[in-house]
Structure formats: C-alpha cells, structure tokens
Amino acid sequence: MMEEALRATVRRFVEQELRPHVNDWEEAGTFPRALYRQAGELGLLAFGFPEAEGGIPASYRQLQALNEELCRAGCGGLLASLFSHRIGAPPIVHGGSAQLRARVLPGILSGEHISALAVSEPGGGSDVANLATSAVRDGDHYIVNGSKTFITSGMRADWLTVAVRTGGAGASGISALLVSGDTPGLTRSPLKKMGWWCSDTAELHFDQCRVPAANLLGAENTGFALLMRNFNDERLMLAMHACYLAQACLDEAVEWARQRKTFGRALVQHQAVRHKLVDMATRIEATRAFIDSVVARMDTGAQDVAQVCMLKNFAAQTMQACSGEAVQILGGMGFMRGTVAERVYRDAKVYMIGGGAEEILNDLAARQLGWG
C-alpha cells in the first residue's frame, strides 16, 4: 500500500471509529473486542507481517506512517492493547514451526484472536535473563509454573507468547512457549494503572499448565535471543507513539490557545504562551528527525540497538515535557478528564518505563557502543 493511501485509510479509521469513543473507553477501562476485527478488516493488524501467514509486508517507513496516523486518536492505552500482537506475534513468526504459524497467525492478523507477550515477572521486571517461570518437559508437553505481570492484553489474549526457564541459570536457560488462553491452570487478574486506562493489563499465574511441546518457539534454551530481537522493534514503536502523542498534545494546545481569551486577547497572543508552544514544537521536530534517521537505517537491515535505546528515551522525555506544557497551557481544562493533554500526561510515565526503564536502556546503549 502506498504511504498516502495508507495514511488516508488509517485517518478515516481514527476519525470514525476511535476518536469519538476514546473518552468513554478510558472511563470504562476497556474497549470493544470487535475493534480488533474492524482493524483486521482494514489490514492494519497484518501490516508488517509475512504474506504467507496472511500479513502485508511493510517497511519501517510505512509502519512509521501507520503509527503517526493512529496517534491522532490521542490514546496510547488503546493502541497498546489493540496492537499488542506487534510484540506478541513476532516470536511466532521467527520461531514457530510452519504448522504452528499456519494455525495461529492468520487468526491474529485478522483480528479474530488476540496475541500478547508475557515476559515481565513480579520479582524480576525487565531482568529477562533471571526470570523464574519454569517449563519442564513431560513427554510431548511442557509443564509450566510461575507468574507474569504487567501483561498488555493479558486478560483477554487468546495466545500468550511466554518466556520460560527450561534450562539452567541465566540467559542460556530461557525458552519461549506459545500458550493458549484457555489452558487449564492459567488464571488472570486485572491490574489498575496510573495511565493507559482502557488498555487491558493483567497478572498471570501458571499452575501446572500443560503446553504442547510443538508450541516451543525456536530451539529449547534459545528464547533469550528471540525475545531480545523482539525488544528492538517494540522500543522503536514506543518511541514513535511517544513522539506522535506529543504532537497530539501540541495540536490541542495550539487550538486551545487560539480560541481561549484572557485579559481581552487570545491566549496565543501572549508571548509566554507562544514560547511554550515553540519549545514543544522544537522538541517534537528533533524527535521526528531522530526517528527518521533510525527508520532509514533499519530499512537497510541495520538493527541500531544503541540508537533505538537512545531514541526511545529521548522520545519519552519529549512526550513527558510536551504533555506537561500542554496541561499548563490548557490551565484548569488541562486537569479535566477528556482532554488529550490530561490523558497523555497520565500515560507519559509508562513510556519512560515500558520496553526497559530509562536507566536500563542508557546502560544497554553504552555497552552496545563499547563504553562499558
């Protein structure tokens, strides 16, 4: 699909199916499951996945355009859950057998089924190499025991891509298993959050869950590399969302400043307000340029792990700064539910943490650059 046609399709979807309902969905703490099928019918869920499994091959540049248009909805939580397959399904693509891919991926990419990634644990967070959830081989099954937390789409996912320990200590003992959502012994508990209200987030508990050995993704004890490959794309996606949600804040702030009158003139006519808007625009332009640079290199096949880590941190800082300034410009209205600024201000902190906290990514970038 050409970029302009893609943008037009996504923009219509956002304007007709998302923006009119975002506030209600945030207050309800959920959104209709049917929305996955609507997105699937437009090909939005299939974008960037192999054609053989029902996907639509796409460049990073095209994925960038997709995410920019989706962020016009001004709701990161909605996008996190609606597109949770973007982190749940790639390990299936890269590690699943031909039979498993054919059985699972078409349903996910059509929106009939929901995919989620389950890595973080109550006692480990981002320390993937030291996770404790175990999977012990028992004939043609694995017996899975343990817990996962902060799992996006965890309550209603039909397929869970789960990081488990099948071997010894450290990264060399990690595997990835695809677990069906109806597996006996799997229980789920919803989590309440500071932001991303309409995003389904859960804690999972596995109690003697029997998972077919055919659901192993990649070879046993090689799951760490499979999951790390996944994280780079996740961090790039988070960076895009952070930048374009900051833009949504700026758009709302500019509109408000033009309409709102104080002391006999429009708010935008006050120098202090104009300077705030320009500062926001400057941060966003710098972040856009960084995204463009990384995307161009990744479209040539480069992984750019250090640059993606730095970009994700930089974009999250842009989102945090711009959402704060937008709330300030809107004044009392910025403190009210239902504005983009208020929603993005709440959501900003998860972008500082998700995909690896700022401190972790700075250290990872430094090591990738040979500085430690």
Side-chain angles (χ1 to χ4, degrees):
M1 185 184 296
M2 297 296 292
E3 184 177 322
E4 288 309 311
L6 169 66
R7 285 184 179 276
T9 297
V10 181
R11 194 169 297 188
R12 282 194 301 271
F13 177 66
V14 168
E15 293 299 324
Q16 295 173 11
E17 306 297 340
L18 302 186
R19 288 188 69 174
H21 310 293
V22 161
N23 291 334
D24 291 339
W25 293 339
E26 280 280 281
E27 294 296 334
T30 189
F31 60 87
R33 186 178 174 115
L35 196 63
Y36 291 90
R37 296 189 187 90
Q38 289 178 267
E41 287 170 2
L42 293 173
L44 304 186
L45 304 184
F47 219 63
F49 286 87
E51 192 171 9
E53 273 82 42
I56 302 172
S59 65
Y60 282 101
R61 172 63 186 169
Q62 289 170 313
L63 289 169
Q64 181 183 5
L66 170 69
N67 282 297
E68 182 172 8
E69 294 300 329
L70 287 169
C71 286
R72 291 178 183 274
C75 186
L78 171 63
L79 304 185
S81 274
L82 184 59
F83 290 87
S84 62
H85 74 296
R86 295 217 60 85
I87 57 174
I92 307 172
V93 172
H94 300 303
S97 66
Q99 293 85 352
L100 186 63
R101 296 196 307 270
R103 180 163 63 91
V104 171
L105 287 171
I108 293 172
L109 301 183
S110 69
E112 181 181 354
H113 296 142
I114 299 170
S115 167
L117 179 70
V119 175
S120 296
E121 297 187 350
S126 299
D127 190 3
V128 180
N130 291 305
L131 63 83
T133 298
S134 65
V136 178
R137 187 69 181 257
D138 180 28
D140 58 358
H141 285 77
Y142 284 95
I143 309 300
V144 179
N145 287 284
S147 297
K148 299 291 181 181
T149 195
F150 312 138
I151 308 307
T152 301
S153 291
M155 289 303 297
R156 55 185 175 184
D158 302 289
W159 294 105
L160 294 155
T161 300
V162 185
V164 295
R165 183 165 301 285
T166 50
S172 61
I174 304 299
S175 296
L177 276 177
L178 186 64
V179 180
S180 174
D182 60 4
T183 301
L186 169 62
T187 55
R188 323 186 199 202
S189 303
L191 297 175
K192 293 184 177 181
K193 311 173 295 297
M194 175 194 298
W196 275 10
W197 289 354
C198 70
S199 174
D200 156 18
T201 309
E203 182 163 301
L204 312 177
H205 184 67
F206 301 89
D207 183 10
Q208 295 293 110
C209 293
R210 293 182 64 83
V211 179
N215 286 20
L216 181 68
L217 303 176
E220 192 173 278
N221 298 326
T222 64
F224 187 80
L226 192 64
L227 295 166
M228 291 303 102
R229 177 178 183 175
N230 205 42
F231 278 135
N232 212 42
D233 279 1
E234 178 187 4
R235 289 164 185 155
L236 178 58
M237 180 179 68
L238 287 169
M240 291 177 182
H241 286 185
C243 178
Y244 303 139
L245 288 168
Q247 180 69 58
C249 288
L250 175 59
D251 292 343
E252 183 180 60
V254 169
E255 182 180 4
W256 176 263
R258 284 173 172 163
Q259 294 178 359
R260 177 70 167 173
K261 289 188 176 180
T262 59
F263 306 104
R265 53 181 176 163
L267 200 60
V268 76
Q269 292 178 318
H270 295 277
Q271 185 184 59
V273 173
R274 292 200 302 272
H275 287 189
K276 285 181 181 293
L277 293 172
V278 172
D279 284 344
M280 291 168 69
T282 301
R283 289 176 183 271
I284 292 167
E285 284 300 310
T287 310
R288 283 180 177 275
F290 199 168
I291 292 172
D292 288 345
S293 174
V294 170
V295 163
R297 290 197 300 272
M298 290 185 70
D299 269 333
T300 68
Q303 280 299 298
D304 278 347
V305 174
Q307 288 74 17
V308 169
C309 289
M310 292 186 290
L311 170 60
K312 187 263 182 181
N313 282 348
F314 188 69
Q317 292 162 7
T318 294
M319 179 184 183
Q320 188 172 54
C322 291
S323 60
E325 290 286 41
V327 169
Q328 195 73 16
I329 291 168
L330 268 67
M333 278 305 299
F335 196 63
M336 297 295 104
R337 293 187 188 181
T339 62
V340 172
E342 183 272 339
R343 185 163 55 247
V344 176
Y345 186 76
R346 277 191 285 104
D347 289 351
K349 203 60 187 177
V350 75
Y351 288 85
M352 309 290 288
I353 299 168
E358 183 172 327
E359 298 79 4
I360 292 171
L361 296 192
N362 276 339
D363 192 57
L364 176 56
R367 285 187 279 113
Q368 287 286 320
L369 294 167
W371 298 343

